[in-house]
Amino acid sequence: MARRPQPDPPVRLPRRRAPWRVVVAGAACTLLIAAAGWRPPRALENIEGRVYDLYLRAASHRPPGRVPAIVDIDEESLARYGQWPWPRYRIAQLLDRVRELGADAVALDMVFAEPDRTSLSLVAREIERDIGRTVRLADPGTALPDNDRILAEALGRGPFVLGYAFGFGAAAPGRECVLHPVAPAPEGSGGGLRPARAPSVVCNLPELARAAGASGFFNVAPDSDGTVRGVPLLMEHRGEIFPSLALAALARARGGAIAISGPSAPGGPRLTVGGRTVPLDARGGMLVRFRGPGRGYEYLSAAAVLERRVPAGALAGRIAIVGTSAAGLKELRATPFDPVYPGPEIHAAAIDTILQGDLPRRPAAARGWELLAALLAGAVATAVFSRSGAVAGLPLLVLGSAGAWAASFWLFSRTGVFLSPLLPQAALAAGFGLLSFLRFRLSEREAADFARKLSLTQEVIIQSMAALAETRDNETGGHIQRTRHYVKALAESLRGHPRFHDALDEDTIDLFFRLAPLHDIGKVGVRDHVLLKRDRLTSEEFEEMKRHTVYGDDTLQIAERRLGDDSFLRIAREFALTHQEKWDGSGYPNGLKGEQIPVAGRLMAVADVYDALVSRRAYKEPMPHERAAAILAEGRGTHFDPDVLDAFLANQQRFREIAARFADAGRGGAPPAAP
């Protein structure tokens, strides 16, 4: 018993691998994002600042603390006591009133860099110098008062902290400054802690600084977009480290020294003041937990304090910052909550942030963690997007971006640590965009290659079908090649004609060229004794021969039903069915007339008749081109569309060249021109 043959195993298609160009491009894009993040451009820093502002506003936080308070030289005070600056005896009076209200420390957000020009002693000296007159009081035993001395005496009576400003230009020569550094500066602090180095300083009169016994700088440095998000707590000047006004006031109020950790301390550099530990960034600063718009802390009008309209003990146990919020004095800053935040309140917010211990932080390793997240996001994006299309990759982009933002905000709201989600999101977005583009380009190439192969396949099928008809009528070997080129020549000539402009675009002409060989495919249905007869056909035989147009249409119609009504075979059917129709309606099979005949049929009518006239057949010899052209010209408006016939007459040389190029081998070729 014969063994039944076993079926072949199923064909397994190889797994599609990600194109190596896509993978390399994804890796390069990720590395480029990481490189940009390592030294971010200012635009990226500004955007990250806006993200931080958004987090700060959205995260829950404690209300402003009660300890800081602002003694405000406000509009009311200026209106009552005159424009700024006030005489220093009035400043002394204000400080005495503040001290009497029980403040633990009083920070002055101002600097007294020059002698008070309103002091009578200074005025008397200037009058004597300028006009030679001596000024004396009515009581000879009383000395002229000195406002600076009055202020110095007031400063010596209380827990006051003077403010001054560091400068970053050229150092001013020869000015004595009494400052109060953090002592001693830690050994090796330049390793993990690198405070800003200020070469110059605008300081208070030495007499005032010695009397106060404490001071701090009030420099506030906004970010590159002009927004204040943090404050420097330490700065370096002439080899020593100095505290900010807020830090010095807090140390004065809590009675403790300021201690700075060494660079090797766990968690990075930090300082301790009044029992509070403050993490620092590498520049000796910290982010401030702003808790809302300006005037969130208690404000006391300087006029009310001077006139004793503030209840006794209102500042007991508190830290007062004496400054101004008057708009004309330009002590207004932009913060994440408020574009016109009063300057003195920034010091209050810094003190409150340290006391409440909820500092926002951006660790020194933050950028490294962001770069690592970007590399991981880029690797995932490359792995996914290189194997899937845009539709499949879009959920990863959306979910990945949302996850990066959610994780970043969760970390900030829970711990105060700010890690920007922008780099990983940029890696995802860039990976999605670039790899989708590359995949699109590759798909486009594949589609073009497929279209080319499909077109070639169609061409082979068309040629095979035409060759099938040719095997039945082998005396027309070059006929299909010549007629297709004739049709193309006519179509290209008529393309700009108003009647044919809409019908003959580039794609249609290409289809005409490829499908013209099928015009005689119906001959496969004609019986051999009719198709191959060498003598003239009888009327019955001619009627059967005329049926080749219908046979061709029927054959192509069956294929067209499978491909759809819009398939390219519709044009092939027009060639097959209508190429024997005549302009005056006397043609076959349907007797179409004029514009009823499709353009394909009108073009092929000229091409087919011309080729039949100039080619050798079993029943006739080839006709010279001039004679054939004359016969065609006689059919203008009767057999042929006049415009199509005119196109033939205008392109006779091209028709000659086509006939010679595709002449039937061994059969004498195309006829030469008549002499």
Side-chain angles (χ1 to χ4, degrees):
M1 180 176 179
R3 295 182 61 186
R4 179 176 299 175
Q6 298 297 316
D8 293 334
V11 176
R12 297 184 179 275
L13 296 176
R15 176 179 291 182
R16 185 176 181 181
R17 298 181 180 274
W20 66 269
R21 291 184 180 87
V22 175
V23 176
V24 171
C29 180
T30 301
L31 293 176
L32 184 62
I33 294 292
W38 182 254
R39 298 185 66 85
R42 177 168 296 182
L44 177 60
E45 292 181 341
N46 291 344
I47 296 173
E48 287 180 337
R50 297 303 181 188
V51 173
Y52 172 83
D53 297 346
L54 177 65
Y55 285 7
L56 192 64
R57 292 192 294 266
S60 59
H61 47 72
R62 302 165 191 166
R66 184 180 177 278
V67 172
I70 291 100
V71 177
D72 188 15
I73 303 172
D74 54 9
E75 305 288 356
E76 176 193 354
S77 303
L78 295 177
R80 187 178 297 271
Y81 289 98
Q83 65 183 13
W84 185 260
W86 286 345
R88 287 178 190 166
Y89 71 81
R90 187 170 296 134
I91 298 294
Q93 292 174 345
L94 177 63
L95 297 183
D96 282 337
R97 301 291 185 272
V98 173
R99 177 178 52 81
E100 292 168 4
L101 292 174
D104 286 349
V106 181
L108 277 69
D109 187 22
M110 57 191 70
V111 62
F112 307 106
E114 303 292 340
D116 186 355
R117 297 182 64 84
T118 66
S119 296
L120 288 180
S121 59
L122 180 58
V123 171
R125 289 197 299 271
E126 289 182 348
I127 291 175
E128 184 174 2
R129 181 194 65 195
D130 294 340
I131 62 177
R133 299 290 183 89
T134 301
V135 178
R136 294 186 178 87
L137 295 179
D139 183 357
T142 303
L144 293 172
D146 186 326
N147 292 349
D148 292 319
R149 185 174 301 167
I150 294 172
L151 178 57
E153 292 171 356
L155 290 171
R157 290 192 289 268
F160 298 108
V161 180
L162 288 177
Y164 56 87
F166 279 125
F168 297 91
R175 173 70 185 274
E176 179 188 2
C177 288
V178 176
L179 306 177
H180 302 87
V182 176
E187 289 293 330
S189 62
L193 182 64
R194 298 182 299 277
R197 184 172 299 172
S200 62
V201 61
V202 178
C203 59
N204 294 280
L205 296 172
E207 177 185 7
L208 302 180
R210 292 190 188 96
S215 61
F217 62 86
F218 50 67
N219 299 72
V220 174
D223 291 341
S224 58
D225 61 354
T227 301
V228 175
R229 298 182 177 91
V231 295
L233 295 181
L234 301 172
M235 284 194 186
E236 183 179 342
H237 176 67
R238 295 184 179 179
E240 294 183 294
I241 295 180
F242 296 87
S244 69
L245 182 64
L247 187 60
L250 189 57
R252 187 86 185 235
R254 294 296 183 257
I258 301 170
I260 305 175
S261 67
S264 60
R270 60 189 60 202
L271 62 81
T272 303
V273 57
R276 302 283 182 176
T277 299
V278 184
L280 302 173
D281 60 28
R283 303 290 284 171
M286 73 170 193
L287 292 171
V288 176
R289 175 76 70 168
F290 292 102
R291 305 181 191 278
R295 297 190 174 275
Y297 298 92
E298 184 177 5
Y299 275 71
L300 304 176
S301 173
V305 173
L306 283 168
E307 296 165 7
R308 301 183 186 274
R309 290 187 278 117
V310 178
L315 295 177
R318 305 175 72 181
I319 299 174
I321 297 99
V322 179
T324 178
S325 67
L329 299 181
K330 300 181 180 180
E331 284 296 320
L332 301 173
R333 305 277 185 163
T335 68
F337 282 93
D338 194 339
V340 285
Y341 198 87
E345 197 168 344
I346 293 178
H347 305 301
I351 293 171
D352 187 39
T353 300
I354 295 174
L355 290 177
Q356 297 207 44
D358 56 350
L359 289 80
R361 292 181 294 123
R362 182 158 174 80
R367 185 62 72 188
W369 286 109
E370 291 165 359
L371 293 176
L372 178 60
L375 292 174
L376 291 176
V380 171
T382 301
V384 173
F385 297 153
S386 63
R387 294 177 177 272
S388 62
V391 175
L394 186 59
L396 174 64
L397 173 64
V398 174
L399 294 176
S401 299
W405 280 81
S408 173
F409 180 71
W410 178 87
L411 183 67
F412 181 81
S413 61
R414 290 297 185 92
T415 67
V417 174
F418 175 67
L419 296 180
S420 171
L422 294 181
L423 283 181
Q425 183 188 21
L428 285 173
F432 176 78
L434 176 62
L435 298 182
S436 296
F437 172 76
L438 290 177
R439 287 189 62 84
F440 171 77
R441 290 291 298 161
L442 290 173
S443 299
E444 194 176 48
R445 287 185 180 180
E446 291 174 357
D449 185 58
F450 177 78
R452 182 183 60 80
K453 292 179 180 178
L454 179 61
S455 177
L456 182 61
T457 302
Q458 291 176 344
E459 185 75 15
V460 170
I461 292 174
I462 292 169
Q463 292 288 345
S464 299
M465 294 174 70
L468 178 63
E470 191 177 326
T471 61
R472 299 292 320 285
D473 186 11
N474 56 18
E475 290 188 346
T476 60
H479 177 66
I480 60 176
Q481 290 296 333
R482 292 191 296 271
T483 51
R484 75 190 311 198
H485 282 85
Y486 295 151
V487 167
K488 183 178 182 181
L490 292 172
E492 290 177 344
S493 178
L494 291 167
R495 183 175 180 179
H497 194 286
R499 284 182 55 216
F500 296 90
H501 181 270
D502 294 336
L504 294 176
D505 56 34
E506 184 175 348
D507 292 337
T508 303
I509 294 175
D510 180 65
L511 283 175
F512 279 7
F513 178 74
R514 291 194 288 133
L515 296 171
L518 297 180
H519 71 283
D520 274 340
I521 191 174
K523 287 184 177 181
V524 297
V526 180
R527 290 179 296 173
D528 287 349
H529 81 276
V530 175
L531 181 66
L532 303 179
K533 186 176 181 180
R534 293 181 175 271
D535 299 327
R536 187 173 298 274
L537 299 176
T538 66
S539 59
E540 292 81 7
E541 291 170 339
F542 183 63
E543 288 299 320
E544 182 176 351
M545 178 63 78
K546 288 172 20 177
R547 297 288 299 170
H548 82 275
T549 57
V550 178
Y551 296 154
D553 179 62
D554 291 342
T555 301
L556 294 170
Q557 190 175 27
I558 295 172
E560 185 185 17
R561 289 196 190 104
R562 292 182 175 273
L563 295 178
D565 293 338
D566 293 333
S567 73
F568 69 98
L569 290 179
R570 179 183 58 80
I571 295 177
R573 287 181 57 204
E574 292 177 354
F575 275 121
L577 184 64
T578 67
H579 70 280
Q580 295 293 347
E581 300 285 358
K582 296 182 180 181
W583 186 252
D584 61 2
S586 61
Y588 64 86
N590 296 316
L592 300 179
K593 184 177 181 180
E595 298 284 348
Q596 294 176 341
I597 306 171
V599 174
R602 285 180 261 162
L603 298 179
M604 182 55 73
V606 173
D608 196 37
V609 171
Y610 174 78
D611 194 65
L613 293 174
V614 300
S615 299
R616 188 185 306 277
R617 293 289 183 266
Y619 54 85
K620 75 173 200 65
E621 291 298 317
M623 184 180 294
H625 168 81
E626 287 75 10
R627 177 70 186 279
I631 293 175
L632 264 67
E634 292 174 0
R636 184 181 187 277
T638 54
H639 191 155
F640 308 112
D641 181 337
D643 291 324
V644 176
L645 197 281
D646 290 344
F648 161 74
L649 295 175
N651 288 272
Q652 294 185 59
Q653 182 58 34
R654 189 171 177 185
F655 271 65
R656 292 175 190 267
E657 293 170 355
I658 293 171
R661 179 181 176 189
F662 297 101
D664 290 326
R667 297 188 180 272

